[in-house]
Amino acid sequence: NHTSTSEFILVGFRSRPGSQLLLSVLFSTMYMVTVVGNVCMVLVIRLDSNLHTPMYFFLENLSTLDICYSSVIAPRAALVFLLGRRNISYAGCASQMFFFSLFGTTEAFLLAVMAYDRFAAVCNPLLYHLTMSKRLCVLLVMGSYLSGCVNCTVQTAFTFGLSFCGSKEINHFFCDVAAVIQASCSDTFVNELVRLAVCGSITVGTASVVFLSYGYIILTVARMPSAESRHKAFSTCSSHMMTICLFFGTAFFMYAQPGATSSPSKSNTISIFYTVVIPMLNPFIYTLRNEEVKESLKKQLKRKGV
């Protein structure tokens, strides 16, 4: 029997009723903007045949992931803050952790895949469509999800293999791995080691692919003869560079270094950033900084008579 409790209590951001209402409105608003923005991005890509390229295939998958990723956390958090019902069942907590880890890890791998795609486009433009074949693109996305499945299975199994016999309080607003481990009455040394090893290797490994890809991109662009060609090359990468800086910056702080989550209030605050803020910002980053998406959006709005 691994546990003597049937539920946990999420105590993150527990404060005055006025603050709880504000948090509920904030989470609800950001979640609605996230869903609308990412659904619009998916529709724009699907409806415009000019955007049926590897880059936009990956971007469509990123938008889908952002909707799923945010949906695991934001709606429940908004209800918790609004109604004050902080109890979450043992099975509900395990499910939330599983899907949060699945979508979060998949997004890290997908961003690395997108960096490789930009490397192929800028550094080997003549072979780009041969290199990034439809079959390879599908395999890379499937591989990202498979990697996410492996990580979330390992993390959830190790965490819920612990005993929870003392306090049922989890010092977070959702069932994050580190926060649930801290609520256990078992020896958590192995779990902490596994968490640091797995999350650290995923964060460092995917970030390394990103940095290597962009290293080669920068060298290639620097050798280009004209300013116009350099600007064009960088413009295809700038949106993705902003997204990876936001995602990997917070991921590294939270999961890839020892003691990063020792301050619960800091951990809760940073978690808002990567669970709802980044998924909300991604469609705006890719729309405002991408001429092809802007042109496609204008054409489709004009077609609808808007």
Side-chain angles (χ1 to χ4, degrees):
N1 182 24
H2 291 305
T3 184
S4 57
T5 184
S6 60
E7 63 178 15
F8 297 103
I9 303 168
L10 300 168
V11 298
F13 291 122
R14 186 163 60 182
S15 56
R16 293 188 301 274
S19 301
Q20 297 296 289
L21 180 61
L22 181 63
L23 280 168
S24 180
V25 171
L26 182 68
F27 269 71
S28 299
T29 304
M30 288 195 293
Y31 178 63
M32 285 189 286
V33 173
T34 299
V35 173
V36 171
N38 282 289
V39 166
C40 286
M41 182 64 76
V42 171
L43 289 174
V44 166
I45 293 169
R46 290 205 171 182
L47 293 172
D48 191 340
S49 58
N50 293 324
L51 301 182
H52 293 176
T53 63
M55 175 181 167
Y56 293 104
F57 172 70
F58 295 132
L59 183 53
E60 182 185 340
N61 278 278
L62 180 68
S63 290
T64 305
L65 265 177
D66 279 337
I67 294 169
C68 298
Y69 187 52
S70 189
S71 296
V72 174
I73 306 298
R76 184 181 180 90
L79 280 173
V80 165
F81 298 136
L82 181 65
L83 304 176
R85 294 176 187 167
R86 293 177 169 270
N87 294 36
I88 183 169
S89 69
Y90 181 78
C93 189
S95 299
Q96 190 180 54
M97 181 185 293
F98 181 89
F99 287 109
F100 172 71
S101 298
L102 168 63
F103 297 129
T105 307
T106 303
E107 183 151 334
F109 278 94
L110 186 61
L111 287 171
V113 165
M114 290 171 76
Y116 175 73
D117 172 69
R118 291 300 81 210
F119 158 77
V122 174
C123 300
N124 298 294
L126 298 177
L127 296 173
Y128 175 63
H129 289 288
L130 188 64
T131 305
M132 300 304 293
S133 64
K134 189 173 182 179
R135 182 173 177 273
L136 178 63
C137 291
V138 170
L139 286 173
L140 287 170
V141 170
M142 287 174 63
S144 297
Y145 273 98
L146 181 61
S147 302
C149 281
V150 171
N151 180 49
C152 68
T153 302
V154 169
Q155 296 286 359
T156 308
F158 266 82
T159 303
F160 284 88
L162 294 168
S163 296
F164 298 94
C165 48
S167 171
K168 297 189 290 183
E169 292 189 349
I170 295 173
N171 205 334
H172 218 305
F173 63 90
F174 70 95
C175 289
D176 188 40
V177 177
V180 176
I181 286 174
Q182 287 173 2
S184 173
C185 57
S186 304
D187 180 2
T188 62
F189 176 76
V190 173
N191 291 73
E192 293 284 1
L193 204 62
V194 168
R195 185 179 71 87
L196 184 62
V198 174
C199 293
S201 60
I202 288 169
T203 305
V204 173
T206 51
S208 297
V209 172
V210 169
F211 292 138
L212 278 171
S213 297
Y214 276 103
Y216 280 110
I217 288 169
I218 290 166
L219 286 172
T220 303
V221 171
R223 295 193 192 106
M224 288 179 178
S226 69
E228 187 183 345
S229 57
R230 287 195 294 272
H231 174 73
K232 188 179 178 182
F234 266 128
S235 68
T236 66
C237 304
S238 58
S239 301
H240 184 247
M241 287 174 75
M242 287 181 68
T243 302
I244 59 173
C245 286
L246 289 169
F247 185 88
F248 283 106
T250 51
F252 183 81
F253 185 89
M254 287 295 296
Y255 298 111
Q257 53 176 325
T261 55
S262 56
S263 169
S265 60
K266 191 180 287 185
S267 175
N268 277 281
T269 304
I270 293 168
S271 296
I272 291 179
F273 198 70
Y274 67 80
T275 54
V276 285
V277 175
I278 294 175
M280 179 185 70
L281 289 178
N282 280 346
F284 295 100
I285 292 170
Y286 279 97
T287 303
L288 297 175
R289 297 188 63 86
N290 189 305
E291 291 301 324
E292 286 181 315
V293 174
K294 280 196 282 188
E295 284 303 314
S296 176
L297 192 56
K298 284 177 190 173
K299 277 194 296 184
Q300 288 177 44
L301 289 173
K302 197 176 288 183
R303 201 177 296 158
K304 298 289 182 183
V306 179

